[in-house]
Amino acid sequence: MNETQDLEPWPRTLAALEEEQRRLAATAAPLWRPENLGRGGRTGGPLPPIGASFVCFGRGGSGPGAAGDAGWAAAALFAAREFVASAVAQGRAPAAYAPGHLALREGTLHEAALFALPQLPGLLLVDATGRDHPRRAGLALHLGARLGIPSVGVTNRLLVAAGPPPPDEAGAVTPFLLEEVVVGWWLRVRRGVRPLAVHAAWRTDPETALAVVRACLGRERTPEPLRTARRLAREARTRAERRT
């Protein structure tokens, strides 16, 4: 599947990316919410097919990386908690990493893998932030907006928001805030394991983001679609590095 020709090119400079991020942050897109969304970010209703994407780069480097670094992206598609399809894309990073500008380095790779799926998902999980961002539009939000898919970010740490971690109890949550606005939730999946940062992104609010992530959890700490995409991207990198 390839519909990227219908989209505008990704921003290629820091200034262009920041302008687009401000535009997306100010866009009043209607919120998407799952059926029967209850208190505490739980849903009893069905969810559309859920996709996830993950990007990794060649091993052995240090610092923020560089433009031209080899990268591997994988996308995984699940429906009713069952694996449906996956796709892998390889390419070069257009830029080094800079805080708040991850989309400049990874955006094209994520998009290539997602468009290589047999169908786009109805919901998207991304290893990136959403509203927790200096301009309120991290990569998880940016990617969802480009594809027209409600999206949720899942990370291990915060970018600019702040909030205390939850108690060391399975299922415990605490909010994190940016300028006194809740933009996501810390979620402790299991005792003794560091919590996940769950980010509201494109057309999702913090409660919806939390419900989606909880619905995707299996036996592991990372939501299953994102865990699968991460594994596939790293396996593709390993195969490529062995060949060289």
Side-chain angles (χ1 to χ4, degrees), residues 30-124:
L31 285 177
W32 175 88
R33 295 177 73 85
E35 296 180 14
N36 304 321
L37 180 64
R39 296 183 63 184
R42 299 183 185 277
T43 177
L47 293 175
I50 296 175
S53 61
F54 185 90
V55 168
C56 62
F57 294 95
R59 286 171 283 208
S62 61
D69 286 345
W72 292 264
L77 180 66
F78 281 67
R81 300 180 66 90
E82 298 293 328
F83 174 77
V84 174
S86 65
V88 174
Q90 183 177 357
R92 297 281 175 177
Y97 170 72
H101 301 89
L102 183 63
L104 204 62
R105 180 166 174 82
E106 294 189 3
T108 55
L109 286 163
H110 282 278
E111 192 169 86
L114 286 161
F115 272 118
L117 290 171
Q119 68 180 75
L120 286 176
L123 273 172
L124 181 61

